């Protein structure tokens, strides 16, 4: 396989309606599928007409001390600019496609197009991406290979329907990917 033949595109509404994306995510991602809530875009990576990977990007985490510290945010600015950050909430390479460098190629392709796609869909730019990696399962290698920056770990609390979990669970590694050189200032 030539990695230059891989391309990434948004999932079409017909593919959403037939639930192909959700079925594959539920079946193969350890966290399962996610519904589309608020600002969310789903992507599929293809080689020819074959699906090789799935990604979900959604609204950023409301609070993340490692990310916020790296940016230099204080609470006054945070909520006004939070929409400029998008969370890579799911990333799945389908089982038959675990090929060296495929993951970083897919992430790089998404990084190039997400700002334009987001502006068309939601009317505002994206200047930074974030993701959370469970160190009990992964090392974040694919993100490092795609030039994402490790900025620290969470405290282990997670968002629930009623706010945040009462007890800390497994802390996650936090990676960010500035999409512009001046993303911190923006």
């Amino acid at each position: 396989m030539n990695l230059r033949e891989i391309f990434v595109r948004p999932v079409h509404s017909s593919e959403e309606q037939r639930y192909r994306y959700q079925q594959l995510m539920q079946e193969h991602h350890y966290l399962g599928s996610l519904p589309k809530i608020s600002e969310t875009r789903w992507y599929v990576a293809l080689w020819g007409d074959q699906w090789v990977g799935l990604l979900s990007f959604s609204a950023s985490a409301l609070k993340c001390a490692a990310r916020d510290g790296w940016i230099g945010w204080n609470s006054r600015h945070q909520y006004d600019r939070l929409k400029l950050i998008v969370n890579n909430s799911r990333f799945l390479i389908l089982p038959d496609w675990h090929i060296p460098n495929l993951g970083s190629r897919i992430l790089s392709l998404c990084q190039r197009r997400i700002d334009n796609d987001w502006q068309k869909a939601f009317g505002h730019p994206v200047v930074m991406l974030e993701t959370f990696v469970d160190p009990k399962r992964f090392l974040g290698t694919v993100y490092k290979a795609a030039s994402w920056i490790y900025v620290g770990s969470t405290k282990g609390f997670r968002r629930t329907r009623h706010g945040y979990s009462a007890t800390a669970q497994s802390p996650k590694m936090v990676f960010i990917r500035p999409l512009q050189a001046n993303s911190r200032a923006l």
Side-chain angles (χ1 to χ4, degrees), residues 127-144:
V127 299
M128 187 181 298
L129 302 174
E130 70 178 10
T131 198
F132 301 95
V133 175
D134 186 343
K136 291 181 179 178
R137 293 181 165 270
F138 305 103
L139 300 174
T141 306
V142 71
Y143 291 98
K144 293 172 189 173

Side-chain angles (χ1 to χ4, degrees), residues 58-63 82 157-165:
S58 52
S60 62
L62 292 175
K63 296 179 183 180
L82 201 55
F157 295 96
R158 62 183 178 85
R159 193 165 52 187
T160 68
R161 290 182 183 198
H162 307 290
Y164 284 87
S165 59

